[in-house]
Amino acid sequence: MRPGQRAVRTFVFAASCVAVSLAGPGEVLAIGRRRSTPSTPLAPTPTPAPAPSPAPAPAPGGSTFTFEAESQLAHQQGRRDGDGWSCNVAADSVNFLSFGPYTRAIPAGPAVATFRLLVDNHTADDQPVVTIDVFDPDASRKLAERVITRRAFGGAFAYQDFSLRFVAPAGNRLEFRTQWHDHSYVRQDRVVIAASPGASPAPSPAPSPAPSPAPAPGAGPVTATVVARTGDPGFFSLKSYQNVLVAGTYGTGKLYASSNGFARPVANLNVGESVYVMAEHGGYLYANTENRGEIWRSRFGTSGWERVFDGEPTAIGTGLVVHDGWLYACYTRLSDRSGRIFRSRTGQRGSWQHVFGNARQGTDVTLRELVVYGGVIHCLSYDYDGGIGGFYTSRDGTSWSWNARAELRNKRPIKAHVWNGALWISTSPFTTRRVRPAGVYRYDGQRLTVAFEDGARAVGTDIIDWNGDLYFCDDVNWRARSGRSALFRSPTGAPGTWSQVATFDEAEAMDLEVHGGRLYVATRQEGGHGKVYRMDNVAPSSASPAPAPAPAPSPSGGGSTRVIRPNGNSVDGGGGFLWKPESSSDGKLVVLAPAGLTGQIAECNVLRSNGDRIERGRYTGVHNGGREHFRFGRPGRDYPSNAICELVLRNGDRRHYVIPRPGERYD
């Protein structure tokens, strides 16, 4: 089973901030990957108090359905604990505490789902502890959702009921899911569904001082909520890393952290320019800066930053990407507009190899962005002498070729994003003198076509997908001092399908990132200030997240197991199984299932050689030749030798791919 994940996590901001809106009193700053609540991380199991209240009674003619967490729901994290199922911060990571049961028993019409939960400490902070939702896997949509924070509970080790109203569709399966956020010990007793016309929520045994839950997507107008401010020229880059969101600012490299979205300083990179782009590799967060093209890294994103690459005078760092286990970085020298590309397997100081660029090669061609598409590294570039944009490409990382694109005559490619089998590129005209339009181009490996143009603004900046749609932001102009930047959305990326969903007070919207299931926008204002916005209540314009699969077959299903052993590192060739120990997007393991099994897979797991499960993969859609993708929480090298990648099919059969050396690629 592959429930769609939505994690709400702690924020960290790297910013050149002078005036910053700080969090309120009483907050606890969480630094690093593993945190514990003030009470012991492995919480004891006292008898909950007060005693559980009765299940919600349905109105006449209605029905009540009870699903016990420990026995009738599925789990991705945690363990049986007394009368329920629990997760704790010492042993678990962000994932679903419970999900399922994929029931069709709920009759069509109004209903209420009541989740019974407890925490071990209800006063330490007010971070999100779980998100509860009702999900329709047949329609791939959430019917209701609520984020529950620590202070929503009225006491410690006291069960409390939290309810969601929803309308059950006719004949569809339903899931009642509890996403755990790794901020507190949480135990769940059960979920009770009261289904009847006019059903009302179950009574709660304790007061709930938390604010009203955020509306479900689409329940009202789109809102842009400010979660960070700075009196400096603004925020320049965003990156979701482990449990934090990191934001870099224009001009300096200070680091900011928060427990609820309002920035507070935690460190300083001591660089004199912007944090331009960030990437994760080998468990570290890397930042490429406009200060000499210096590269810094940190294991936690909030502390312990070290400089691992010195760059050179007049260089500005502009790109970072992971490809086949290597971290690639690029910079452009302002002195002659020539570009350089380097790579390293470890990211350590002294390990960087110079793989492209010299005094003549690439002269007057600036390097802008690194992205992997179709197994090929693309470095977005523009040739000032020729007045044309394009990209340098390389499959092996050492041999590079220039691909000038006639479609980008007098156009500069700025950033790129891979989505729905294509490379989407944001652009701006060559000149900076308020020439329009900003644009989006679609590239399929051969043809480059215009997807969208905004005649009101001059600079296309970032592009990303979220909730099944493609998003694009743009600026009034480079270093503009007035005007409003904007955010656009399309369900397909095709011309004529784009709509504006938000504008921002600042003239430049610089970067987009998805973190904790939400979209964030970084802005700046020349000579002024900048903000980070969280986009709330954005209804998907298309069928949103990738379809959730049918429930996994039970062990009693009687399926057979087929063991596949590689010949060297070869399994079944192109379009087949792929074990990629470090994905291009986050440096962690990604598994691609054979194209012939698409639509048949219920689970993808990594097992020990004795068959014990280590981790269940997170389903992320169908890409790369029609193959289902599953992502994991660590690089391949962190799994034991002779690990097994298990594909569980819906008919109960299993395929076990033996992986002798998990740090290597098998395909």
Side-chain angles (χ1 to χ4, degrees):
M1 288 172 276
R2 303 184 295 260
Q5 294 191 350
R6 178 174 180 178
V8 178
R9 299 170 179 171
T10 306
F11 279 89
V12 175
F13 295 97
S16 69
C17 298
V18 174
V20 179
S21 296
L22 298 179
E27 286 188 310
V28 175
L29 180 64
I31 302 293
R33 173 68 188 92
R34 184 59 55 205
R35 299 160 307 286
S36 63
T37 56
S39 56
T40 175
L42 289 169
T45 312
T47 301
S53 57
S63 303
T64 298
F65 305 84
T66 300
F67 301 104
E68 297 293 340
E70 71 276 15
S71 59
Q72 294 173 289
L73 298 176
H75 316 282
Q76 287 189 327
Q77 289 287 332
R79 61 212 44 83
R80 187 165 187 150
D81 186 353
D83 60 349
W85 192 272
S86 72
C87 288
N88 67 75
V89 297
D92 303 305
S93 57
V94 173
N95 224 319
F96 279 89
L97 182 152
S98 66
F99 63 96
Y102 298 92
T103 179
R104 299 185 192 273
I106 311 302
V112 175
T114 301
F115 295 69
R116 177 154 295 180
L117 305 160
L118 65 76
V119 294
D120 63 338
N121 185 301
H122 70 294
T123 60
D125 52 47
D126 201 27
Q127 295 197 75
V129 293
V130 293
T131 297
I132 58 175
D133 70 49
V134 180
F135 189 76
D136 177 353
D138 294 327
S140 299
R141 65 190 182 101
K142 289 180 182 176
L143 305 179
E145 181 184 57
R146 179 177 178 181
V147 177
I148 300 173
T149 63
R150 186 190 299 276
R151 290 179 184 165
F153 291 85
F157 291 108
Y159 274 126
Q160 188 163 327
D161 291 343
F162 299 90
S163 297
L164 293 175
R165 292 181 179 271
F166 67 100
V167 177
N172 285 14
R173 296 173 301 156
L174 292 179
E175 284 188 84
F176 307 96
R177 310 187 302 184
T178 302
Q179 165 94 48
W180 184 70
H181 297 316
D182 198 11
H183 292 150
S184 172
Y185 169 89
V186 175
R187 191 195 315 163
Q188 180 176 357
D189 177 20
R190 64 193 185 190
V191 181
V192 178
I193 293 84
S196 65
S200 59
S204 176
S208 179
S212 299
V222 173
T223 56
T225 303
V226 177
V227 296
R229 302 174 185 267
T230 173
D232 289 335
F235 293 94
F236 210 49
S237 56
L238 297 171
K239 177 62 179 175
S240 180
Y241 167 69
Q242 296 183 359
N243 274 0
V244 299
L245 181 69
V246 179
T249 60
Y250 184 87
T252 64
K254 298 174 185 176
L255 302 176
Y256 286 73
S258 169
S259 61
N260 70 352
F262 291 88
R264 55 176 62 183
V266 295
N268 193 331
L269 298 186
N270 294 313
V271 298
E273 259 295 349
S274 312
V275 175
Y276 187 89
V277 64
M278 290 171 280
E280 185 177 352
H281 175 65
Y284 285 91
L285 179 65
Y286 289 81
N288 198 354
T289 73
E290 288 193 317
N291 189 77
R292 298 171 51 95
E294 291 179 1
I295 299 174
W296 293 66
R297 76 175 184 180
S298 168
R299 174 69 75 176
F300 304 110
T302 60
S303 61
W305 284 85
E306 60 174 331
R307 187 172 62 207
V308 294
F309 182 76
D310 293 337
E312 62 173 297
T314 80
I316 58 171
T318 55
L320 284 174
V321 76
V322 177
H323 178 60
D324 283 343
W326 293 88
L327 177 63
Y328 289 81
C330 67
Y331 64 63
T332 292
R333 300 199 319 178
L334 297 179
S335 57
D336 59 8
R337 287 179 176 161
S338 64
R340 305 284 191 274
I341 300 176
F342 299 82
R343 71 176 185 177
S344 170
R345 276 206 178 274
T346 65
Q348 297 174 333
R349 175 181 280 283
S351 67
W352 294 84
Q353 303 174 7
H354 178 201
V355 294
F356 171 80
N358 54 45
R360 298 187 60 83
Q361 182 184 38
T363 297
D364 223 21
V365 175
T366 60
L367 307 183
R368 184 77 192 192
E369 165 98 334
L370 289 167
V371 62
V372 176
Y373 171 60
V376 176
I377 310 173
H378 292 67
C379 183
L380 305 190
S381 313
Y382 44 95
D383 182 347
Y384 275 89
D385 288 339
I388 192 168
F391 22 81
Y392 285 96
T393 59
S394 176
R395 187 171 292 275
D396 62 9
T398 58
S399 301
W400 295 81
S401 60
W402 169 237
N403 184 359
R405 302 298 307 194
E407 304 93 334
L408 296 179
R409 175 68 61 186
N410 295 323
K411 296 280 187 180
R412 288 187 289 184
I414 306 299
K415 290 188 178 182
H417 181 68
V418 178
W419 181 68
N420 274 5
L423 185 65
W424 303 83
I425 302 170
S426 63
T427 66
S428 70
F430 261 116
T431 178
T432 61
R433 294 186 177 90
R434 294 191 176 274
V435 175
R436 302 179 179 94
V440 176
Y441 280 73
R442 181 184 185 276
Y443 180 60
D444 63 6
Q446 295 182 339
R447 298 176 63 246
L448 188 65
T449 57
V450 177
F452 173 66
E453 290 186 332
D454 177 16
R457 296 170 184 84
V459 181
T461 49
D462 204 11
I463 190 163
I464 199 170
D465 70 280
W466 178 53
N467 271 359
D469 295 330
L470 192 62
Y471 284 80
F472 163 69
C473 62
D474 61 4
D475 302 347
V476 173
N477 212 330
W478 294 113
R479 305 183 72 171
R481 292 180 174 270
S482 62
R484 294 174 66 84
S485 52
L487 180 68
F488 297 85
R489 176 184 63 193
S490 167
T492 65
T497 65
W498 293 83
S499 61
Q500 182 173 301
V501 294
T503 58
F504 308 101
D505 293 338
E506 295 72 40
E508 296 180 81
M510 300 305 301
D511 207 16
L512 302 172
E513 180 68 315
V514 174
H515 174 77
R518 288 184 170 180
L519 179 66
Y520 291 83
V521 184
T523 68
R524 65 177 296 269
Q525 180 81 52
E526 183 70 14
H529 61 279
K531 301 186 184 80
V532 173
Y533 292 88
R534 185 186 68 227
M535 303 309 299
D536 293 322
N537 205 32
V538 181
S541 59
S542 61
S544 62
S554 65
S556 60
S560 63
T561 299
R562 176 185 171 192
V563 178
I564 300 99
R565 300 182 184 277
N567 180 9
N569 290 78
S570 178
V571 180
D572 52 9
F577 172 85
L578 170 63
W579 170 283
K580 189 174 183 180
E582 293 187 1
S583 75
S584 301
S585 60
D586 62 7
K588 298 175 183 177
L589 171 66
V590 60
V591 170
L592 279 62
L597 295 180
T598 297
Q600 303 177 42
I601 302 171
E603 293 181 25
C604 177
N605 304 305
V606 176
L607 314 177
R608 299 185 189 278
S609 58
N610 64 1
D612 291 342
R613 186 168 69 186
I614 301 172
E615 185 177 355
R616 175 179 291 172
R618 175 171 56 90
Y619 174 72
T620 59
V622 179
H623 316 282
N624 298 77
R627 292 183 286 179
E628 296 191 23
H629 285 46
F630 298 86
R631 295 188 179 275
F632 293 81
R634 63 187 89 170
R637 64 175 178 272
D638 289 350
Y639 296 93
S641 298
N642 295 310
I644 296 170
C645 181
E646 177 187 58
L647 299 182
V648 181
L649 307 187
R650 294 184 181 182
N651 65 4
D653 291 346
R654 286 168 165 78
R655 295 197 181 182
H656 282 186
Y657 294 86
V658 178
I659 310 297
R661 298 172 297 280
E664 299 179 10
R665 177 184 176 119
Y666 291 84
D667 60 7

